[in-house]
Amino acid sequence: MPPPRLSVTVQPRDDLYAVLDSVVARNVPGRVLISAAAGTGKTVLVADWLGRTAADPEVAWVALGPDDNDADRLQRTLTGVWERSNTIAGPVVVVLDDAHEIRDDIALGVLSEFVESAPVNSTVVVACRSTPELQFARYALEGTLTWIGWEELALDGVAVAAIVAEYGHSLDDSDLAALLAFTRGWAAPVRLAAIRLGAYEEPRAAIADMTCYPQQVSEYVVEATLGELPEYLVRFIESTSIVEFFDTDLAEQLDEANVDRVVRDRERFGVPVVRCSSDTTAVRYGWHPLIRAHAGAVVRRRDPERVVRLHRIAARWFLDARAPLVALEHLIAVGDEQAIEEFVLHHGPTVVFDGNSEALWDLLGTRYGDLPGVRHLRALAAVEQNYPDAARAYLGTRDSRRGADRLAPATTVFAAALAVEIAVISGAKMPKEVLPEFEASGGTGSVDLDCYVALQHSAARMFLGDLGASERLLRRALTLGELGAHPRLVLRSLSRLSVLSGVRGDLATMNVRAVRALEYAVAQELTDRIDAFQSAAAVCMDTYVRAEQLADDSPVHALSLASPRRARPDGTSVPVSGGHAEVAFALLQARRYPRPTIAEADTVGHAMIGLLGRGPQAGLSNAFVTLAMAVLLDAGRTNTAAQLIEKTSAVFGEIPDVVVARAMVELHVGRTGTAGELLGSVRDLTLHPALAVRAWLLDAVVANRERRSADAAVSLTRALELAEPNRIVSPFLDCAGDAAEMLVAIPPGGEHTHEFVLHVRAKLLDANAGRNPGLTRTEKVVLAELATGKQLREIARGLHVSLNTVRTHTRNLYRKLEASSRAEAVDEAMRRGLL
């Protein structure tokens, strides 16, 4: 019989026509298997191709039905086809349509023999909904089989749009994509959907309705597909329809059927399946959206208790697979409020650390959005965005519902941890009252939450001065990391260990720990997190105080140049790197060359003043004050320097850092006596090593300028003794002229080594080439007098030398400073830090 006449407008499939033409063109018996579910367009494809192909074959179309399970009847029909075909010299195409109707074993034997005996000039096309048990695997190995499945038959966006237009409708790109997503190009549902568009005023509403209730366009074809399946396969599809994708492990937990058998039979019965690759090389499977929706609706209606059990199984599986949001979807499908409360507390932090807060709020919605613990998660999300005011507001609100008593201890310690982090990022006073709550906590049952609590307990201990306890708690946090805590928390543990070493004054260990934290951040792709920036800042500060330089291709250097800012809801913005890292990066950039530019110094000043205004922490933020002061004075930004001192004093009071900073300004303007008095009040205190080195070195500078050589030697020796363990060099470079002069004359003795003295001298030469032009002691005295504005004759009288001697010293000064006038000489001396 001839091909059937088509009653619909056909969307041409040139790609598949070309495949079929190539089969006919080969000089071997061709076999084509087109196996796919009902309504996918098998018959339409073949019939339209036969009307278009240039091969002009002789066509025999055999429409098989239930009556053809009579083997004798089938034998007569097929024998007649071959007898007619053998008389034809040209190409012959035999179409066996609806071959799935043949189920009788003897009739299948007849069909197999017919396909096997195909002459050279023939092509046999077997179109079916499920694959009959013929020799298709052998034909595939021989290279004589072409297989077309539902994926190949699926219509693309152009074809779907054309079908919609056929019924007088049009869709924009987003609506077309939505229609394509839930039909996956399945031809019959696409056409049914196009017909139903006429019942709606808005296409978008129609698409949304059909997406939520797809049975209206899929019931016929899906029931036809599922109705032909064995019971075990239907049950498996129903069980796995509650998840979008499944692998072997999840499928076996949802249903006891043999997954290998299911996958094999799914292919044989032509059930449309979607494949996707996971993060590993494994392949996951998911049923076609229409199959999934239909099977899910059936099982919900028939066995709701089974559905609840399946959702619970899926929730546990996805939690174990660290996919908490997917797990929450299943818990919400069950509607178990107690389980959702527990999820919020134990797994909600993981979602926040993954950066998926908004998706979490969307899932919880208004129904579950006010559960106990949700405000804690919102506060956590706010501190992760460096927005302490919002976090404080969330933490200060009351829960509208009372949580289960068994969750109360975990909720309490979570709130305590949040209070500490809010204090850390806002610069508020550390809440001592939360310490008993930390001590009373015996664990929450969540690795992530326990790790977070340990981190914040450690922060509280650190900023309250108990550094030993802080170290122990950070090591506990790392141990929890080994048990599976979130990589974000592991990175924070490593970063905080580096910070703790810096607070202790152990800069070498700070650097080692910071490098380890950065390596972990790179491995876990977390370099955009604030803890990675803080670790980079620690490396920068160690590099800075040792007067080293980062390589241009260093990842730390790349992070130091990044300056992204995060917008807050109130219209303000904060550096993503955090205030401390912003200052550290600015300092390092300003010291890449011997003298900072005005712009670089201003960047340092603004970053430091911004830090003091946003969230300074005693014991950490103040460590940057004298470093920033040195850059500002070196660039002649005395007004900004004065602002910085007053801002720091207002925040922390007259702490040693402020006193030393004031002494630096006094020395800068030539008031050595006042500087000496300030330094004398703090130099003998127990100070951070970097500050102590600077205080003793400045004290040596004061003594040297006052010609108290013995006192200068004592103070310089003490500075060197304190500097050598951590190789602290930057304070010497900040006092380059005085330091170079004193190091030449330093007598032997002290706890420092001669090697370190040579090291500092070499740094002075390398990093400050041209900064100190080698002025003599007398030339420095004359230079200081020139800066006062006195006439040369007046200077000579004051120094008890002749006018010609002063003129000679002045000429030498001009030459060494590359100046042509007194004003230029004084300006250049100021820029070099010689005045």
Side-chain angles (χ1 to χ4, degrees):
M1 61 182 293
R5 297 184 62 181
L6 300 176
S7 59
V8 296
T9 302
V10 178
Q11 300 305 315
R13 299 298 305 271
D14 294 337
D15 54 339
L16 295 180
Y17 300 159
V19 170
L20 295 171
D21 282 341
S22 68
V23 175
V24 174
R26 285 182 288 186
N27 193 29
V28 293
R31 288 110 178 174
V32 178
L33 173 62
I34 306 178
S35 179
T40 48
K42 303 179 293 296
T43 300
V44 171
L45 170 72
V46 179
D48 194 54
W49 164 65
L50 290 172
R52 295 171 182 266
T53 179
D56 193 25
E58 183 70 21
V59 177
W61 189 288
V62 180
L64 300 170
D67 292 345
D68 292 304
N69 283 287
D70 180 336
D72 292 337
R73 170 190 165 100
L74 182 62
Q75 182 72 59
R76 289 192 298 273
T77 300
L78 298 180
T79 299
V81 169
W82 275 157
E83 287 177 351
R84 289 191 297 276
S85 299
N86 287 331
T87 64
I88 300 170
V92 175
V93 173
V94 178
V95 180
L96 302 175
D97 198 14
D98 289 338
H100 56 275
E101 295 285 2
I102 308 302
R103 296 183 174 88
D104 178 78
D105 289 341
I106 298 176
L108 282 171
V110 172
L111 191 65
S112 177
E113 183 180 352
F114 175 81
V115 175
E116 179 73 19
S117 61
V120 172
N121 65 329
S122 68
T123 298
V124 179
V125 179
V126 179
C128 51
R129 295 179 184 178
S130 59
T131 306
E133 295 184 3
L134 305 183
Q135 300 297 314
F136 290 119
R138 180 166 63 82
Y139 299 148
L141 290 174
E142 293 172 354
T144 62
L145 179 69
T146 297
W147 198 326
I148 297 175
W150 83 269
E151 293 96 337
E152 292 78 20
L153 291 169
L155 302 175
D156 60 15
V158 174
V160 171
I163 291 175
V164 170
E166 183 182 337
Y167 292 91
H169 312 297
S170 64
L171 300 176
D172 62 22
D173 290 345
S174 62
D175 290 336
L176 180 62
L179 178 59
L180 196 58
F182 95 88
T183 62
R184 297 274 179 161
W186 194 338
V190 167
R191 189 167 293 277
L192 288 170
I195 293 170
R196 289 193 62 84
L197 283 172
Y200 295 83
E201 292 184 5
E202 290 291 333
R204 182 156 299 176
I207 301 298
D209 188 31
M210 285 185 276
T211 302
C212 292
Y213 304 101
Q215 292 88 342
Q216 54 191 312
V217 299
S218 66
E219 197 162 22
Y220 163 69
V221 291
V222 172
E223 284 188 349
T225 300
L226 298 181
E228 297 176 353
L229 303 180
E231 183 179 347
Y232 82 90
L233 185 52
V234 173
R235 180 180 176 84
F236 181 86
I237 293 173
E238 290 176 350
S239 297
T240 51
S241 69
I242 68 160
V243 295
E244 186 174 5
F245 289 100
F246 57 87
D247 61 9
T248 300
D249 181 59
L250 176 56
E252 287 178 345
Q253 293 195 37
L254 292 170
D255 191 276
E256 296 179 355
N258 183 294
V259 177
D260 292 336
R261 178 190 178 194
V262 166
V263 171
R264 181 198 66 199
D265 288 356
R266 189 284 314 163
E267 200 166 74
R268 182 165 70 88
F269 286 107
V271 184
V273 71
V274 180
R275 301 173 181 84
C276 84
S277 297
S278 62
D279 294 336
T280 63
T281 56
V283 175
R284 295 183 299 157
Y285 300 93
W287 303 115
H288 187 288
L290 298 178
I291 294 285
R292 182 185 172 211
H294 186 91
V298 169
V299 72
R300 283 194 302 272
R301 182 176 64 250
R302 189 178 65 232
D303 194 349
E305 291 184 2
R306 177 184 169 203
V307 173
V308 170
R309 186 172 65 255
L310 290 171
H311 277 300
R312 292 190 186 280
I313 292 171
R316 286 196 300 271
W317 190 90
F318 282 110
L319 282 176
D320 291 340
R322 293 195 74 91
L325 281 176
V326 183
L328 179 59
E329 290 178 7
H330 289 283
L331 292 178
I332 290 174
V334 172
D336 186 340
E337 188 171 294
Q338 182 175 322
I340 295 171
E341 284 183 10
E342 189 167 339
F343 173 92
V344 165
L345 188 61
H346 289 167
H347 305 287
T350 304
V351 178
V352 174
F353 294 134
D354 282 337
N356 293 323
S357 303
E358 294 302 322
L360 178 61
W361 315 145
D362 288 344
L363 278 175
L364 292 171
T366 56
R367 181 178 179 184
Y368 302 109
D370 61 346
L371 286 175
V374 173
R375 64 184 173 96
H376 294 69
L377 292 185
R378 288 191 176 275
L380 178 62
V383 295
E384 285 292 297
Q385 295 294 317
N386 199 9
Y387 198 13
D389 293 338
R392 194 178 289 110
Y394 284 127
L395 202 57
T397 58
R398 286 179 170 271
D399 287 322
S400 62
R401 302 188 225 176
R402 185 164 181 257
D405 289 341
R406 62 190 178 82
L407 298 178
T411 303
T412 300
V413 77
F414 190 8
L418 287 164
V420 170
E421 186 156 20
I422 290 169
V424 170
I425 65 175
S426 66
K429 184 179 179 181
M430 189 57 61
K432 293 183 180 180
E433 63 274 10
V434 302
L435 294 180
E437 294 172 2
F438 286 130
E439 297 295 343
S441 175
T444 66
S446 164
V447 174
D448 281 353
L449 187 52
D450 285 341
C451 187
Y452 181 74
V453 167
L455 277 165
Q456 302 315 322
H457 188 184
S458 167
R461 293 293 182 181
M462 178 170 65
F463 287 111
L464 290 172
D466 191 350
L467 302 186
S470 181
E471 175 96 16
R472 289 192 297 273
L473 288 161
L474 284 174
R475 292 185 182 279
R476 168 174 163 73
L478 273 180
T479 301
L480 290 168
E482 294 176 357
L483 294 175
H486 198 284
R488 172 79 174 83
L489 295 171
V490 176
L491 174 60
R492 177 164 292 185
S493 302
L494 295 171
S495 175
R496 289 274 177 89
L497 280 167
S498 174
V499 171
L500 181 61
S501 296
V503 171
R504 274 180 166 157
D506 186 355
L507 302 184
T509 302
M510 176 189 76
N511 184 66
V512 170
R513 286 176 164 178
V515 169
R516 182 187 174 198
L518 278 173
E519 290 172 347
Y520 182 84
V522 170
Q524 297 292 328
E525 299 183 349
L526 293 172
T527 52
D528 60 335
R529 299 290 187 168
I530 189 172
D531 300 294
F533 283 107
Q534 289 175 344
S535 299
V539 174
C540 284
M541 293 315 300
D542 183 61
T543 302
Y544 181 91
V545 298
R546 289 187 294 108
E548 302 289 350
Q549 291 291 337
L550 291 172
D552 288 344
D553 59 353
S554 163
V556 178
H557 182 58
L559 281 173
S560 73
L561 293 178
S563 56
R565 299 186 70 84
R566 178 181 291 115
R568 288 171 162 178
D570 64 358
T572 62
S573 66
V574 291
V576 172
S577 62
H580 295 98
E582 185 182 38
V583 174
F585 297 157
L587 283 169
L588 190 72
Q589 190 64 27
R591 286 305 193 198
R592 285 181 64 79
Y593 300 100
R595 284 178 293 182
T597 65
I598 297 293
E600 288 169 342
D602 286 344
T603 300
V604 170
H606 293 154
M608 189 66 210
I609 291 173
L611 170 62
L612 293 171
R614 280 192 303 271
Q617 274 294 340
L620 181 59
S621 309
N622 49 289
F624 293 94
V625 173
T626 55
L627 305 178
M629 186 62 59
V631 170
L632 293 171
L633 294 177
D634 204 6
R637 307 302 276 177
T638 53
N639 289 337
T640 307
Q643 293 175 26
L644 176 56
I645 289 177
E646 297 313 314
K647 183 72 172 178
T648 308
S649 178
V651 172
F652 297 121
E654 287 296 304
I655 59 174
D657 306 78
V658 172
V659 174
V660 174
R662 292 191 189 280
M664 294 170 70
V665 174
E666 294 300 318
L667 270 177
H668 182 74
V669 298
R671 292 193 286 265
T672 55
T674 305
E677 292 175 4
L678 289 166
L679 294 166
S681 68
V682 298
R683 69 185 181 187
D684 292 317
L685 300 177
T686 301
L687 305 175
H688 189 281
L691 183 63
V693 171
R694 188 177 297 277
W696 281 103
L697 180 60
L698 291 173
D699 192 65
V701 171
V702 169
N704 186 57
R705 291 187 183 182
E706 293 177 347
R707 301 189 180 185
R708 293 183 285 112
S709 300
D711 292 339
V714 170
S715 295
L716 179 61
T717 298
R718 182 59 178 150
L720 289 167
E721 291 170 352
L722 292 168
E724 185 166 8
N726 287 294
R727 311 290 281 183
I728 298 172
V729 175
S730 62
F732 296 92
L733 304 187
D734 295 335
C735 303
D738 295 281
E741 179 181 315
M742 291 188 294
L743 285 171
V744 171
I746 187 171
E751 297 297 325
H752 63 280
T753 64
H754 182 60
E755 180 275 330
F756 184 63
V757 174
L758 294 178
H759 173 72
V760 175
R761 286 177 180 171
K763 287 294 182 183
L764 284 167
L765 289 174
D766 292 343
N768 293 277
R771 183 189 183 98
N772 179 14
L775 302 184
T776 66
R777 182 188 294 270
T778 304
E779 287 169 349
K780 289 181 179 179
V781 172
V782 172
L783 177 60
E785 294 294 329
L786 289 174
T788 65
K790 295 178 182 177
Q791 297 296 319
L792 296 185
R793 192 177 301 277
E794 187 180 356
I795 294 173
R797 282 199 305 269
L799 297 177
H800 305 290
V801 296
S802 69
L803 177 59
N804 285 336
T805 299
V806 173
R807 284 173 174 164
T808 298
H809 288 316
T810 302
R811 284 195 297 271
N812 290 337
L813 284 169
Y814 288 0
R815 175 176 54 80
K816 291 180 179 181
L817 294 172
E818 299 178 355
S820 59
S821 67
R822 175 189 288 214
E824 285 185 12
V826 171
D827 181 61
E828 182 65 17
M830 292 287 286
R831 290 199 300 117
R832 297 191 186 202
L834 301 173
L835 286 173

